[in-house]
Amino acid sequence: MKGKWTLFLQQKWSQLILFTLFIVVTSSALYFSKKSVIAFLLLLSSLLILHYMNLKNLTKWIMAAALLFILIPFASSGGPAFHSYMEVATMVGIYVSMALGLNIVVGMAGLLDLGFVAFFAVGAYSYSIFATSQASNFMPFGTYPLGGESFWMFLIIGGIVAAIAGVLIGIPVLRVKGDYLAIVTLGFGEIIRILFNNADRPVNFTGGAMGISSIAPPKIFGFELVFPNHFYFVTLVILLFTLFAVNRLEQSKLGRSWKAVRENEIAAQAMGIPLVKTKLMAFALGASFSGVMGVVFAAKQAFIDPTSFTLMESFTILVMVVLGGMGSVPGVILGAAVVTILNLQVLTELTNWVNQLTNTGIISIPQALSPSKMQKFIFGAILVAFALYRPKGLIPAKNKIFDASKLKSETPQKNSVRTD
């Protein structure tokens, strides 16, 4: 009986039937219930189930796009928690893109970066300064604030500025490696935050500790994007581009060079790989994805200040990469989604539930032990558990396997063609 059930699950059509049933049940539960966090999380988990299904990659991509662009927004729109769900989904997209950027630096190139949130801040401030009247404090020409139409241009500008910042920080820190590199990048992250915190005098560039408010919302064809569901689709499009770029980079010559440098720098250099250029490309490309999402974050929040870019943010993004599996693209996506949902949705709902029980007198838990205040403890416990029992992460990285005999048999044929 067990063997027949296993054989049944391995069939494509049976997987599709069960997957469709799961989607119908979870999306119906989410749409018709006023608020069901469990149904929302189960519907999101369908993307993970899809990853493990025995289907072609193209089919998986089409089904995932249908889920993300159509089904999840529609199923979430049935109740008053629609904007709450879209807010969580948008933040998941932002953090997934940032984690994919850090995965290039840490997971593929093997460069431990503890100040990655600095590039996120650079992208956010690059849009915020020009989308408010802040730029008129130091710009002798032009009219500020710029309109919401400039948001699309600043997606590119934010990525370029963050990439330049990545190269500038990469040049001096490449003299060190390992733990020393981690300490230097940690210091860089703090320097950027303190710089933004104090750049309000003698000329007010960043608003200092008061931050920058009233950031112009994006506009497209005269329509303002102000609600979470609007930013959900913007984030989704950028995330798909990021995924495409990261996948192409991983399979490219540059991606193989990153992995070679990660495994053994001396051997990689002996094979003719330029170490400095390869590492700087990792810093620049990883930072650019973070900078683009910084622009989206600033436009979505309409207010930023230096407290949005603390050291804890860098650690959180690193936790996402380590938890998912360093160097693994699907693993990092899963790790970022788990940590973000745990932080924004699960712990918040758990705290509300505990507060309700406390207010009704059923239990009595001190505020200091509230689940939302135990975030760092929970993340630490998860990391320790994974270090002990699953050190390669939720979905470990897999290198492409080549058939050595096939490659050897093809090599003489190519040489003969060239000779002829």
Side-chain angles (χ1 to χ4, degrees):
M1 186 66 185
K2 186 178 178 181
K4 289 182 179 179
W5 176 247
T6 306
L7 187 63
F8 175 76
L9 291 178
Q10 288 175 350
Q11 300 294 326
K12 286 183 182 179
W13 60 270
S14 57
Q15 289 183 1
L16 281 172
I17 291 173
L18 291 175
F19 184 72
T20 306
L21 284 174
F22 180 78
I23 291 294
V24 169
V25 171
T26 53
S27 56
S28 300
L30 181 59
Y31 184 81
F32 291 108
S33 62
K34 289 185 179 179
K35 184 179 181 182
S36 174
V37 177
I38 294 175
F40 177 64
L41 296 180
L42 286 174
L43 186 56
L44 286 182
S45 69
S46 61
L47 293 167
L48 178 63
I49 297 171
L50 185 62
H51 172 72
Y52 285 107
M53 287 176 68
N54 185 24
L55 299 173
K56 291 181 180 178
N57 284 336
L58 180 61
T59 309
K60 289 182 182 179
W61 276 104
I62 293 172
M63 291 174 71
L67 279 170
L68 290 168
F69 280 97
I70 301 171
L71 191 59
I72 291 177
F74 176 74
S76 304
S77 64
F82 174 53
H83 289 305
S84 170
Y85 292 142
M86 288 294 99
E87 174 75 18
V88 172
T90 304
M91 291 307 295
V92 168
I94 290 175
Y95 277 108
V96 166
S97 188
M98 290 173 62
L100 286 171
L102 183 61
N103 187 48
I104 290 177
V105 183
V106 178
M108 296 184 189
L111 305 167
L112 186 54
D113 186 349
L114 294 183
F116 195 70
V117 76
F119 307 121
F120 186 53
V122 168
Y125 271 96
S126 65
Y127 176 65
S128 306
I129 289 173
F130 291 95
T132 61
S133 57
Q134 203 71 27
S136 57
N137 294 332
F138 59 91
M139 291 293 285
F141 52 84
T143 305
Y144 302 98
L146 297 176
E149 295 84 0
S150 64
F151 169 80
W152 312 104
M153 181 180 65
F154 270 90
L155 288 176
I156 300 171
I157 294 175
I160 293 173
V161 173
I164 293 171
V167 172
L168 291 178
I169 184 60
I171 291 172
V173 305
L174 288 182
R175 294 176 181 274
V176 294
K177 62 175 84 172
D179 298 341
Y180 300 103
L181 177 64
I183 293 170
V184 173
T185 52
L186 186 150
F188 167 73
E190 281 299 282
I191 288 170
I192 290 291
R193 185 183 64 79
I194 293 170
L195 184 68
F196 286 139
N197 194 53
N198 294 285
D200 59 339
R201 55 184 182 277
V203 180
N204 190 352
F205 288 98
T206 63
M210 299 298 292
I212 300 175
S213 59
S214 304
I215 300 169
K219 278 185 181 177
I220 182 166
F221 303 122
F223 181 73
E224 279 193 348
L225 308 180
V226 290
F227 293 111
N229 55 322
H230 299 159
F231 286 100
Y232 169 78
F233 288 105
V234 174
T235 306
L236 204 53
V237 171
I238 298 173
L239 178 60
L240 287 179
F241 170 76
T242 306
L243 269 172
F244 174 77
V246 170
N247 275 323
R248 298 291 294 175
L249 283 169
E250 188 182 13
Q251 304 300 329
S252 69
K253 181 182 176 183
L254 182 60
R256 293 194 294 274
S257 299
W258 285 334
K259 291 178 182 177
V261 171
R262 178 191 65 192
E263 297 301 325
N264 192 320
E265 282 191 14
I266 297 173
Q269 196 170 22
M271 294 297 290
I273 295 174
L275 288 184
V276 174
K277 182 182 173 184
T278 305
K279 290 182 178 179
L280 286 181
M281 286 297 289
F283 269 112
L285 290 172
S288 64
F289 296 130
S290 186
V292 171
M293 279 305 175
V295 174
V296 177
F297 178 77
K300 185 180 78 67
Q301 297 295 107
F303 170 77
I304 60 166
D305 68 343
T307 59
S308 306
F309 313 103
T310 60
L311 192 60
M312 273 309 297
E313 291 295 321
S314 288
F315 287 152
T316 303
I317 302 166
L318 185 63
V319 167
M320 295 170 182
V321 176
V322 174
L323 182 67
M326 289 195 294
S328 165
V329 173
V332 169
I333 294 171
L334 179 60
V338 167
V339 172
T340 308
I341 291 172
L342 183 69
N343 190 20
L344 296 181
Q345 191 80 55
V346 177
L347 291 181
T348 305
E349 293 294 331
L350 201 58
T351 303
N352 293 336
W353 180 65
V354 169
N355 288 339
Q356 285 179 1
L357 293 179
T358 305
N359 292 334
T360 53
I362 297 174
I363 57 172
S364 178
I365 296 179
Q367 284 294 322
L369 297 179
S370 170
S372 62
K373 293 184 179 179
M374 300 289 283
Q375 176 195 356
K376 297 181 182 65
F377 171 78
I378 293 171
F379 285 166
I382 291 173
L383 277 183
V384 171
F386 269 78
L388 290 175
Y389 302 107
R390 203 171 176 85
K392 292 185 178 179
L394 290 168
I395 304 178
K398 292 179 181 176
N399 287 324
K400 192 174 181 180
I401 299 173
F402 294 93
D403 189 345
S405 58
K406 187 179 177 183
L407 289 175
K408 287 178 182 176
S409 63
E410 288 178 352
T411 306
Q413 293 176 4
K414 289 182 180 177
N415 290 337
S416 63
V417 171
R418 286 174 186 169
T419 306
D420 295 337

